[in-house]
Amino acid sequence: MKFSEWEKDIFREASNIAISHGITSLSQMLGEPIEMEVPKVHMIKRIEFLKLLAENGISQSFVVMFNITEGLTGLAILQFPKESAILLAATLMGIDPAQIDELDEMGKSAIMEIGNILISVYTDILSILIGESVSLTPPLQASYLYDIEKELSSGELREIEDVVMFINKFKKADGGIESYFYLVPTQDSLRKIITRLEKEIKEG
């Protein structure tokens, strides 16, 4: 299954609204003006999703998982690749990125503050899309691919074939930062999203 250009346009419109709410908070936290691009959205297969997670590095990057508890059901995952994670941690802790080889607990805690803002942006996007509130559980750290595969092996998540991937970039004075947000919806939730998109297209 792939999103049509019409459906991607609806995602982009919802993203523009949600991102405008998050930019101010990000700028204040980073202590400088930033520019945030509209997220790119793709529908990918489960196996491709796991491959991308591994390619971006899990143990060396920053990955957190959330269960979706309202509006939709499934799993949400936020990932900062290693270089972006280190740049973020260094900025927030006021040190030179060259001084960080690997993220420690202090660095991960600092990044989670940014992660909370981005998660708020993404849940706003989903809420706008389906016309309902979307809520997530507190984050659960994922250190290995096994942690994510374990979550995907339970209940309805075992049957999941399609994953919605958002790629988001925001720019600051000394470089760009990239994040990946993966929505792993149950089949019923995916149908709910697609039905809503189709309705928006017909009414548009």
Side-chain angles (χ1 to χ4, degrees):
M1 183 184 295
K2 298 288 184 182
F3 286 129
S4 69
E5 286 305 313
W6 284 103
E7 289 168 332
K8 288 183 179 180
D9 282 342
I10 295 170
F11 268 106
R12 282 190 281 266
E13 184 177 342
S15 298
N16 278 328
I17 296 170
I19 283 173
S20 66
H21 298 161
I23 285 179
T24 300
S25 296
L26 282 172
S27 295
Q28 290 174 345
M29 188 165 290
L30 293 172
E32 61 183 87
I34 64 162
E35 296 178 8
M36 186 185 291
E37 297 179 4
V38 175
K40 296 177 181 177
V41 59
H42 305 278
M43 182 84 81
I44 59 176
K45 290 298 180 183
R46 179 187 184 122
I47 190 168
E48 185 181 355
F49 152 66
L50 292 171
K51 182 181 177 183
L52 283 169
L53 275 174
E55 286 177 350
N56 285 323
I58 293 184
S59 60
Q60 295 181 328
S61 64
F62 176 84
V63 183
V64 286
M65 302 180 289
F66 308 79
N67 284 304
I68 307 171
T69 58
E70 183 183 0
L72 300 167
T73 52
L75 190 67
I77 297 168
L78 177 67
Q79 179 179 38
F80 288 102
K82 183 179 179 181
E83 288 185 6
S84 292
I86 286 176
L87 179 56
L88 260 183
T91 300
L92 292 166
M93 294 189 294
I95 61 177
D96 186 340
Q99 294 180 261
I100 303 178
D101 292 322
E102 294 185 5
L103 289 175
D104 57 15
E105 289 307 311
M106 185 179 296
K108 290 178 180 179
S109 177
I111 294 173
M112 194 62 241
E113 296 183 44
I114 295 292
N116 284 332
I117 295 174
L118 289 179
I119 287 297
S120 177
V121 168
Y122 288 119
T123 51
D124 282 351
I125 291 172
L126 296 173
S127 295
I128 292 166
L129 283 173
I130 67 171
E132 300 176 27
S133 295
V134 174
S135 299
L136 306 176
T137 60
L140 177 65
Q141 190 83 38
S143 301
Y144 304 97
L145 189 60
Y146 170 76
D147 296 329
I148 295 167
E149 290 178 320
K150 183 179 178 181
E151 287 293 318
L152 292 176
S153 67
S154 61
E156 292 181 271
L157 296 182
R158 285 197 301 266
E159 308 300 323
I160 286 173
E161 295 182 1
D162 298 295
V163 175
V164 182
M165 177 180 70
F166 295 85
I167 303 174
N168 179 246
K169 295 181 180 179
F170 56 95
K171 299 175 183 177
K172 47 196 294 296
D174 57 354
I177 293 171
E178 188 171 57
S179 69
Y180 293 79
F181 179 76
Y182 302 96
L183 173 65
V184 190
T186 60
Q187 291 182 347
D188 285 346
S189 288
L190 181 59
R191 279 193 290 269
K192 185 175 185 177
I193 293 170
I194 297 299
T195 299
R196 179 72 181 189
L197 290 173
E198 290 173 347
K199 181 181 178 182
E200 289 288 334
I201 290 170
K202 288 178 182 177
E203 292 179 352

